Amino acid sequence: MQRLGEKSLIWYKRDLRVRDHAPLAAGRQLGATTALFIFEPAWLKSPECSPQHVAFAQSSLAELTINLAAMGIELLVRKGEAVDVLNQLLLERPFTHLLSHEETGSGWSFERDIAVGVWCKQQSIEWREYTQTGVVRRLRTRHGWAK
């Protein structure tokens, strides 16, 4: 249930769909929500990105835009470093919650998520990450991780 003044931003990273999408479901529960996808320079320059990956993302985003619009949710597509984009959006469209899947990617995405976490704390933004896999990020030790 939405409390007065709460607004969420759903940050789409790799999972560009609406069905069975925990951050989207949570955002809809909160009420006022906007969605975001960022073309990040670190991804675009990485060896894991090719022109085919970018074309696939653009095609998927076109479909996602239509599906979200049917739910009354706008999808914003931006290019830049995640913290810079989030900071600009906070000025343009203030939000209280950032909702995303916990990404299990390469080193650049891990460092990015650490920076986003620091930024969220500084801005008093509640960031909820939803797991998709059995991989657990940011463990202090691997001892007992399966528990």
Side-chain angles (χ1 to χ4, degrees):
M1 172 168 276
Q2 182 180 8
R3 291 177 285 201
L4 188 61
E6 287 187 331
K7 293 183 180 177
S8 64
L9 180 65
I10 302 162
W11 179 16
Y12 277 91
K13 297 178 184 177
R14 295 177 188 246
D15 189 352
L16 304 179
R17 61 193 173 114
V18 295
R19 292 185 57 187
D20 192 29
H21 194 278
L24 175 59
R28 293 182 78 193
Q29 285 286 331
L30 279 170
T33 192
T34 302
L36 169 69
F37 180 84
I38 307 170
F39 282 102
E40 299 173 79
W43 175 61
L44 295 170
K45 294 175 189 172
S46 74
E48 64 196 54
C49 181
S50 70
Q52 292 86 356
H53 290 112
V54 175
F56 181 77
Q58 290 172 325
S59 173
S60 298
L61 289 168
E63 184 176 341
L64 181 61
T65 298
I66 294 166
N67 292 333
L68 288 172
M71 298 176 186
I73 299 171
E74 181 182 10
L75 175 64
L76 306 173
V77 178
R78 302 286 171 96
K79 183 177 179 183
E81 300 298 337
V83 170
D84 295 338
V85 170
L86 292 169
N87 205 43
Q88 185 61 41
L89 280 177
L90 187 61
L91 296 172
E92 294 172 14
R93 303 167 178 235
F95 56 94
T96 56
H97 294 76
L98 179 62
L99 310 169
S100 70
H101 278 123
E102 182 179 64
E103 189 173 14
T104 53
S106 56
W108 73 265
S109 68
F110 183 69
E111 294 299 322
R112 181 239 9 238
D113 285 352
I114 290 172
V116 168
V118 169
W119 179 84
C120 284
K121 286 181 183 172
Q122 291 170 343
Q123 305 302 320
S124 299
I125 302 289
E126 182 182 335
W127 184 17
R128 296 183 196 164
E129 290 183 281
Y130 297 82
T131 58
Q132 286 186 293
T133 66
V135 177
V136 180
R137 280 190 141 181
R138 298 190 261 317
L139 291 175
R140 293 180 194 267
T141 176
R142 292 178 56 99
H143 180 73
W145 67 269
K147 293 178 186 172

